[in-house]
Amino acid sequence: MTLWTAAEIAAATHGTASADFAVGGVAFDSREVGPGDLFVALTGETTDGHRFVDQAFAQGAAGALVSRAVDHPVVEVADTFAALEDLGRAARARVKGKVIGVTGSVGKTSTKEALFAALDRAPSVSAHRSVKSYNNHTGVPLSLARMPQGSDYAVLEMGMNHPGELAHLTTLVRPHVALVTAIAPAHTEFFPHEAAIADAKGEIFRGLEPGGVAIVPYDSPHRDRLIAAAEPYAARIVTFGLDRAADVSAIEIARANHGGTFVTARIGEHELSLTVAQPGAHWVSNALAVLAAVDAVGGDLALAGLALAELGGLAGRGARSEIAVGDGHALLIDESYNANPASVAATLAVLAEQPGRHVAILGEMRELGTKSADYHAGLAPAVVAARVEVAVLVGEAMRPLAQALEGRVDFVHVPDAAAALDHVHRVIAPGDAVLVKGSNGVGLARVVAGLAGGKK
């Protein structure tokens, strides 16, 4: 399928095509380039994508977006980053389907994936989404540039760690529906208080298309702040949450036999009973947000319920697997991609519900600023409540939690992921439930791979 022709790329980016070509995909990481892709040679502070143009074509690239002449079929522009944004704008302009923007301190990637699954399930519907966590100043325009012209729905994730970032990204996405999943302490190194985080997340509403819908978490202490941020831009504001006063709420919640949750939800005047496959109260909230967004774009709520019932965990964000341990098996819960105080507490609550001995491998939480020590120490009650019998604390920032757990939980404090994996290999036993959770920079994905049979 042709996504872009050289002429279309040149027109969108104000560039000059050296040859006629057509591409079926877009990538700016040369390692991700596949046959028929457009390679965007971005230039940054530490690297220059032009060094990898030959590699990209060796891997099958059909064309490249460059800012200097190379001996391949290309579109040459003055600035490849600006050109990528222009290509994203052009992609957004030609799509006639409904676009949903998703942000939040926690749950945005999981909610984005669940929402995509809910919309993509309908027959003869073409849905598009951001892949991985491509949600920043380069990831958002890339996700837009990859969007097929005939998309009926697009679900695009937007993230930020500074004020003003979402205000720009939302003007690229121009969502018909803007959803905030939750507000929690994250990137607090760059914000004076949590209310400032809410303000920064509320910037997503500024890009709403005329007649657009804002979706706000009712249970958040920042609900009214988010509603106030949405009011100048949204034609309609919809709340979701566990509280029955929310527009989309949970009337009934019961734990399902397989570990998920049975929910009866009220969506406006409608009721829907469904099973949320992923365990935990935070996933009930995510599911309600999904139903609110599906309803806002006129999607099929029944099919959305089926999608939520079948949704598997994402690698790094709740994926579950049985791993071989001795002459038996243990349950591995992979939450290695990211961590902040709210998400760690939520996943510890999920661990608490699992049978067997509870093992928690917890990596430090980053970008928490001057309150980092307090946030780390503040995890102690959640660790104790989860009945953690063995805790492996990873990274120097975990020292305050180690001190808070003295005499309460059996733990070891190690400097890095390699040391954590070595220790866990020595203590893990058949029947254990093992949670791996930490900020991505800690590298706990290595622990997950090692436990699952990869390299130590």
Side-chain angles (χ1 to χ4, degrees), residues 170 174-178 204-210 212-214 230 233-235:
T170 193
R174 289 167 41 215
H176 298 94
V177 176
I204 192 175
F205 303 126
R206 300 182 191 180
L208 275 170
E209 288 286 89
V213 179
Y233 308 99

Side-chain angles (χ1 to χ4, degrees), residues 54-75:
D54 289 342
Q55 176 186 333
F57 278 94
Q59 292 173 202
L65 193 58
V66 298
S67 58
R68 58 176 179 264
V70 298
D71 190 21
H72 292 287
V74 301
V75 172

